[in-house]
């Protein structure tokens, strides 16, 4: 009788192992909709960061500063499209500071704004050199 039990127990154990593996394969730790939403949020944040940098680079004050230090703004604007991660966040933070300082068409540029513009341009130069 023990041989008969062994013949039935082995296939039954294999069947149970396979069914639990198959059931686990259908389950997700994070629902696909939540992953899609997180990805969409990330893409939206990067788009907003790029928009902030583009707005700062389009300002006449930034264009004058770039010309003064010899930076090709066309190349810098193209580099914005390839930025990601921490580089994009740093550039966007500096760009938002520039945009906020110069909002309303302020005609006077204070030292802190000039410093922020230079920091933004330096970040972009470093990224251009790295490429």
């Amino acid at each position: 009788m023990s041989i008969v039990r062994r013949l039935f127990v082995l296939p039954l154990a294999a069947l149970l192992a396979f069914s639990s593996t198959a059931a686990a394969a259908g389950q997700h730790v994070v629902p696909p909709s939540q992953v899609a939403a997180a990805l969409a949020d990330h893409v939206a944040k990067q788009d907003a960061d790029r928009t902030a940098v583009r707005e700062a680079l389009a300002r006449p004050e930034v264009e004058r500063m770039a010309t003064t230090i010899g930076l090709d703004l066309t190349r810098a604007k193209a580099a914005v499209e390839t930025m990601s991660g921490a580089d994009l966040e740093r550039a966007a933070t500096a760009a938002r500071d520039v945009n906020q300082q110069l909002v309303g068409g302020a005609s006077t540029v204070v030292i802190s704004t000039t410093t922020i513009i230079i920091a933004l341009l330096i970040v972009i130069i470093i990224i251009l050199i790295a490429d």
Side-chain angles (χ1 to χ4, degrees):
M1 195 66 141
S2 69
I3 293 176
V4 174
R5 280 188 200 163
R6 287 184 189 164
L7 289 175
F8 284 112
V9 169
L10 281 173
L12 184 60
L15 181 63
L16 286 174
F18 177 72
S19 66
S20 65
T21 304
Q27 296 175 349
H28 297 282
V29 174
V30 179
S33 60
Q34 191 175 1
V35 172
L39 184 60
D41 288 345
H42 179 70
V43 169
K45 183 181 180 326
Q46 283 192 338
D47 287 345
D49 287 347
R50 283 191 181 91
T51 299
V53 175
R54 281 189 222 107
E55 287 174 3
L57 290 176
R59 293 193 172 276
E61 299 87 350
V62 174
E63 290 178 0
R64 281 195 301 273
M65 185 67 68
T67 303
T68 302
I69 64 173
L71 175 68
D72 180 13
L73 266 182
T74 305
R75 191 170 172 208
K77 289 175 184 177
V80 171
E81 302 308 318
T82 64
M83 292 173 134
S84 63
D87 292 333
L88 180 58
E89 287 179 24
R90 279 194 305 266
T93 300
R96 285 186 181 101
D97 289 344
V98 168
N99 293 336
Q100 186 177 14
Q101 292 286 330
L102 299 176
V103 76
S107 58
T108 58
V109 178
V110 295
I111 297 297
S112 63
T113 304
T114 304
T115 305
I116 293 169
I117 292 171
I118 291 172
L120 171 65
L121 294 175
I122 288 173
V123 167
I124 293 173
I125 289 170
I126 291 170
I127 291 169
L128 288 173
I129 291 171
D131 289 340

